[in-house]
Amino acid sequence: MELASYLASFVSTVLGLCEPFGKSMKSILLFYFFGNLLVGLSYLFIGGYSGAAICFVACIQGIVNYIFYVKDKKLPAVLVGMYAVTFVSINLITFKVWYDVFSLIAAMLSVLSVAQTNPKYYRFLYVSNSMIWIVYDFLAGAYGNLATHIILFVTTFLAILIRDRKNI
């Protein structure tokens, strides 16, 4: 199962290299969905149930948000609140070790990041999200995902410099 975890992390990393460079939230959300699906599977394969659950709910969040963006409609604040409550609930249900709190913090940053209409703000929140996942991965021994999140952190930082440098 560890090999499957590393494989899912690798594919997620490849997809994640494209995500932060998206010009629109629609394109970002497609990569967000598939990346969370693969990272969630990677956590599941090694018994990281809290991280897996958070990622799978993030997949649903990505699909729902994508539908709103395709229809050119604003995300209702109540929906964003429902995401937050769902992530807190999942974390409380799957909470096993003290560092599972990091998956909750990352989930809250994720809720905020994909609720953005401007990719620039998404990228700023996502780079913070990656830092939190790096801590969680290290503590959970999820080394495939640790490598993924370090690469995504660097890639997102580069995307900020390339896409948003005028606004820094």
Side-chain angles (χ1 to χ4, degrees):
M1 292 307 261
E2 192 173 342
L3 181 60
S5 175
Y6 284 121
L7 182 61
S9 292
F10 174 76
V11 175
S12 175
T13 303
V14 172
L15 291 174
L17 293 172
C18 301
E19 181 181 339
F21 289 96
K23 289 183 180 182
S24 73
M25 285 306 293
K26 286 186 271 189
S27 63
I28 286 172
L29 285 170
L30 286 176
F31 287 109
Y32 176 84
F33 168 79
F34 287 110
N36 272 293
L37 178 65
L38 290 165
V39 170
L41 287 172
S42 180
Y43 284 131
L44 190 62
F45 292 147
I46 62 164
Y49 301 115
S50 180
I54 293 291
C55 287
F56 293 144
V57 172
C59 287
I60 295 168
Q61 176 190 19
I63 291 169
V64 171
N65 288 14
Y66 181 82
I67 291 168
F68 273 89
Y69 288 113
V70 165
K71 293 183 177 186
D72 206 23
K73 294 190 177 198
K74 186 175 180 191
L75 281 175
V78 70
L79 184 59
V80 176
M82 286 173 45
Y83 292 148
V85 168
T86 302
F87 283 126
V88 169
S89 299
I90 288 169
N91 194 262
L92 291 175
I93 291 167
T94 61
F95 196 89
K96 220 162 66 173
V97 293
W98 68 270
Y99 55 80
D100 282 343
V101 74
F102 289 107
S103 67
L104 175 62
I105 295 167
M108 293 299 108
L109 282 171
S110 179
V111 167
L112 292 174
S113 68
V114 296
Q116 302 304 308
T117 55
N118 186 328
K120 172 181 75 170
Y121 300 122
Y122 164 81
R123 285 186 275 274
F124 280 111
L125 289 166
Y126 191 76
V127 79
S128 301
N129 178 312
S130 293
M131 288 189 310
I132 302 299
W133 277 117
I134 288 167
V135 172
Y136 176 81
D137 294 338
F138 177 77
L139 295 171
Y143 299 116
N145 288 342
L146 177 63
T148 296
H149 285 119
I150 289 171
I151 292 167
L152 296 181
F153 172 81
V154 170
T155 302
T156 305
F157 186 76
L158 290 173
I160 289 169
L161 292 177
I162 292 167
R163 291 250 186 241
D164 307 317
R165 70 179 145 210
K166 291 183 244 175
N167 303 317
I168 296 179

